[in-house]
Amino acid sequence: MALFEEELENMATTHRKKKKKKSGFQRFVDNNFGLLMAIMLAVFVLLVILIIHSFKKDNSTDVPSKTNTPAPTQTVAPTKEATPSPTATPEPTETPTPTPSPTPYPYGMCSSVTLDTESDPVDGENWEIDYLMLVNWTHRLKYKGNPENLVRLDDVLTASFYKIEDPHTVAEKSRNFVIETEDDKYDRGNAVALQHLDEMCKAYHEATGYGVKVSQTGAYRNYATQDRFWNNRDKSLDPPRTIPGNASEHRTGLGFDIWVLDNEKYDYKWFQKNCAKYGFVLRYPESKKKITGITGEQWHYRYVGVEAATEMQELGYCLEEYIAYKNGEDLSSLPRY
Ligand SMILES: [Zn+2]
């Protein structure tokens, strides 16, 4: 029993010793609690700083890594940017090049023609001519001045069968015509059209023996002259046989009134049959007056060029119809007069 107690006593001592040891550590902790807490706080703060720092590093490395990984995309982007910039430079070269330069306007239109029927024509000298230009009620001339490339009738129509009538003679005979100024350039026409007119009239003379009268007032007319014709028009005709100064193709120098002489029947069959070979068309056929807006004029021929004249003759189209046809427009939508 004593041995047992002794053993118990030993165990209790050991336990106490252990207890004493533990309490020693605890004491250490108790004594240095502030220091320990300060160390732990420092470690914690340090850890937080490290984490934040590493996170920032991660992010910043993400960017370069992203740059590295999607580098293809990012490299493509600058290359794309680099590519458009050189393309942007040649762009202006492409803009002036737009091949429409051969056809900058639809058929029947050129820089001298406007679809604006309200505004008055403005000053302008030597405005552009297009052999297919449509000048009528809906296609007006922009300028008051003279078209390019006008030459005198007398310089081209030199054969003996011509009778070139001067404005004074016309003024004496025609109630429509009044001479106003010396500047009126009556006796002129487009140089190219006049050459073809000369060839056509010579062929007519050779074929029939008849002469031709070309009035100096029946070729090119300036704005004021044409407007006088319009103001003095025969108002009983519907549609009229003349047209305002900015709507007449006499202003272009491409239209000519040709009078057959010594021809008892006073017919124009030869001209109607052969004019296309010389680039001319009968501009205002009576059968087309609802489309041209002009009552038939069997004497008025218009130069359009051989190719267009031949095609118009084959198709049986007047100029309004032909221009609409060439522009792919619906012929039934043409205005009717
Ligand atoms: Zn005429």
Side-chain angles (χ1 to χ4, degrees):
M1 191 60 185
L3 197 78
F4 180 68
E5 277 176 4
E6 205 175 320
E7 239 174 90
L8 272 177
E9 185 63 24
N10 281 343
M11 280 174 74
T13 322
T14 328
H15 185 69
R16 238 175 280 133
K17 271 181 185 173
K18 273 182 185 173
K19 253 194 169 178
K20 265 180 191 171
K21 264 185 190 172
K22 272 185 185 174
S23 63
F25 174 72
Q26 208 153 7
R27 235 179 288 128
F28 173 78
V29 170
D30 285 347
N31 292 343
N32 300 291
F33 182 75
L35 181 69
L36 281 170
M37 282 307 286
I39 290 168
M40 277 177 72
L41 190 73
V43 168
F44 177 75
V45 168
L46 207 79
L47 271 170
V48 167
I49 289 168
L50 273 173
I51 287 166
I52 289 170
H53 186 68
S54 73
F55 182 73
K56 271 188 182 172
K57 248 192 172 182
D58 274 4
N59 274 359
S60 61
T61 35
D62 256 13
V63 181
S65 73
K66 266 182 190 170
T67 337
N68 288 342
T69 331
T73 350
Q74 269 184 336
T75 342
V76 168
T79 345
K80 270 183 186 171
E81 272 174 56
T83 330
S85 61
T87 341
T89 328
E91 249 176 53
T93 342
E94 277 177 39
T95 324
T97 328
T99 338
S101 31
T103 348
Y105 295 96
Y107 282 92
M109 293 296 291
C110 67
S111 65
S112 315
V113 177
T114 176
L115 301 178
D116 175 10
T117 56
E118 299 301 319
S119 61
D120 290 330
V122 295
D123 288 334
E125 288 292 316
N126 298 315
W127 38 267
E128 184 193 7
I129 280 293
D130 185 304
Y131 298 126
L132 271 177
M133 68 197 291
L134 184 63
V135 184
N136 63 11
W137 295 104
T138 53
H139 294 65
R140 305 282 180 129
L141 287 167
K142 287 180 192 170
Y143 306 111
K144 282 182 181 170
N146 304 315
E148 62 189 4
N149 211 11
L150 286 182
V151 294
R152 286 182 179 278
L153 301 181
D154 299 352
D155 292 341
V156 182
L157 309 179
T158 54
S160 60
F161 60 82
Y162 285 115
K163 183 181 174 192
I164 297 178
E165 202 170 49
D166 66 79
H168 297 276
T169 314
V170 178
E172 279 168 28
K173 291 197 294 190
S174 171
R175 65 180 181 85
N176 291 339
F177 191 69
V178 185
I179 296 174
E180 291 265 320
T181 71
E182 290 295 316
D183 294 334
D184 287 352
K185 293 174 178 173
Y186 300 120
D187 58 336
R188 285 169 169 80
N190 176 270
V192 175
L194 263 179
Q195 286 293 341
H196 285 79
L197 181 75
D198 188 47
E199 285 172 30
M200 177 166 71
C201 292
K202 280 176 176 165
Y204 169 71
H205 179 68
E206 279 170 25
T208 65
Y210 299 136
V212 173
K213 183 180 82 178
V214 182
S215 154
Q216 287 184 2
T217 61
Y220 169 71
R221 288 178 199 149
N222 68 7
Y223 177 67
T225 306
Q226 183 62 40
D227 247 13
R228 287 201 299 276
F229 269 81
W230 169 245
N231 292 330
N232 296 329
R233 69 188 177 279
D234 180 351
K235 287 175 181 151
S236 68
L237 289 171
D238 183 29
R241 197 165 256 161
T242 186
I243 198 162
N246 63 342
S248 170
E249 65 172 39
H250 273 293
R251 298 270 325 284
T252 65
L254 299 170
F256 301 92
D257 295 334
I258 306 166
W259 302 92
V260 293
L261 297 174
D262 322 310
N263 180 339
E264 301 80 13
K265 291 177 187 167
Y266 205 66
D267 71 58
Y268 284 83
K269 284 199 185 82
W270 186 94
F271 281 101
Q272 286 171 26
K273 191 180 168 191
N274 296 286
C275 62
K277 294 178 202 164
Y278 305 92
F280 282 89
V281 292
L282 177 64
R283 180 66 182 89
Y284 304 115
E286 177 68 18
S287 61
K288 302 283 187 183
K289 67 180 180 185
K290 293 283 177 197
I291 299 169
T292 62
I294 298 285
T295 286
E297 292 187 2
Q298 59 176 341
W299 53 84
H300 184 114
Y301 282 83
R302 157 70 191 270
Y303 183 75
V304 292
V306 174
E307 193 185 324
T310 306
E311 202 175 4
M312 281 174 70
Q313 197 172 53
E314 284 167 4
L315 294 164
Y317 287 160
C318 66
L319 191 56
E320 279 78 5
E321 291 172 309
Y322 182 69
I323 296 299
Y325 161 76
K326 293 298 271 187
N327 287 323
E329 292 162 11
D330 182 7
L331 268 62
S332 64
S333 65
L334 285 169
R336 302 272 157 169
Y337 301 93

